[in-house]
Amino acid sequence: MAISDKTRKFLWAKSGNRCAICKAELITSTVSFDEFNLGEECHIISSKPTGPRHIPSLEEYDNYENLLLLCKNHHKEIDELTDTYTEELLRYIKTNHENWVKNTIKDAIDKEQKDEEPKFLSRITSGKDLFNIINEVYGYRTDYDDIKSEEEMNFIGGFIQALIDYGDISGMIEAHDKVRIGYELQKLIDEIENKGYYIFGERGLEPMFSHQPKSDKWTVATIIIKRKENPEIIKIDLENLANE
Ligand SMILES: [Zn+2]
Ligand SMILES: [Zn+2]
């Protein structure tokens, strides 16, 4: 068995396209340029009896749990120095690296939020549009009006969590599942609108390191939940605008 495209995509996304050891930015072999490091999808446990860290008859060697994204040099290093790079250490490196990616994105988003000028977001009324905003993003920025009851806390919290959960798996699922998620999101939008809220959102590219505006860009979903009567909401009558 080979590594599936889905697993590969998920591994690269979770790793922030970087080597888990030196954090060098990596590219896939299909777009090879000299100045870039080629990323290698390394097995933590080798399926070959003489391979690094081999354990016989593992149910699956090519799944996400058994893979680590590394640069060429570090792949070589972990496979040669197997006394140092034990299975346990590699799992630790992997978890640490993924947390680093998550926190780096979160810091960049928080920083951005502070310097941000007010911007206009469109109201989202369709589950399909909402899915397109969260589809394979690296981070989420969410905001909502002050919560006034436990009931509100529960459904707004549940809504945001559902969005993040759907967004996180979006890179690993088939087209028909995406359609299904769009449908589920539609039900959630209808429910939240019935409770007196509107949802606003957009999908945008933001630099990974806010102090380096030229650093890599990440796709981030912004989702804002506002009470319908919030004075910040501006209604624009597009039809009348066009007629003027
Ligand atoms: Zn490296
Ligand atoms: Zn290897």
Side-chain angles (χ1 to χ4, degrees), residues 19 22 71 74:
C19 171
C22 66
C71 70
H74 280 115

Side-chain angles (χ1 to χ4, degrees), residues 18-54:
R18 282 167 191 271
C19 171
I21 296 178
C22 66
K23 317 288 183 225
E25 192 184 357
L26 304 171
I27 55 150
T28 56
S29 54
T30 47
V31 281
S32 175
F33 298 103
D34 287 346
E35 68 263 43
F36 287 106
N37 281 312
L38 218 58
E40 298 191 358
E41 293 133 6
C42 317
H43 290 92
I44 295 174
I45 294 165
S46 171
S47 61
K48 297 182 200 87
T50 55
R53 295 164 294 274
H54 172 70

Side-chain angles (χ1 to χ4, degrees), residues 131-149:
F131 182 77
N132 287 337
I133 290 176
I134 59 169
N135 189 15
E136 292 182 52
V137 293
Y138 284 91
Y140 307 86
R141 176 190 295 124
T142 55
D143 196 12
Y144 41 83
D145 275 344
D146 289 336
I147 284 176
K148 289 182 181 144
S149 71

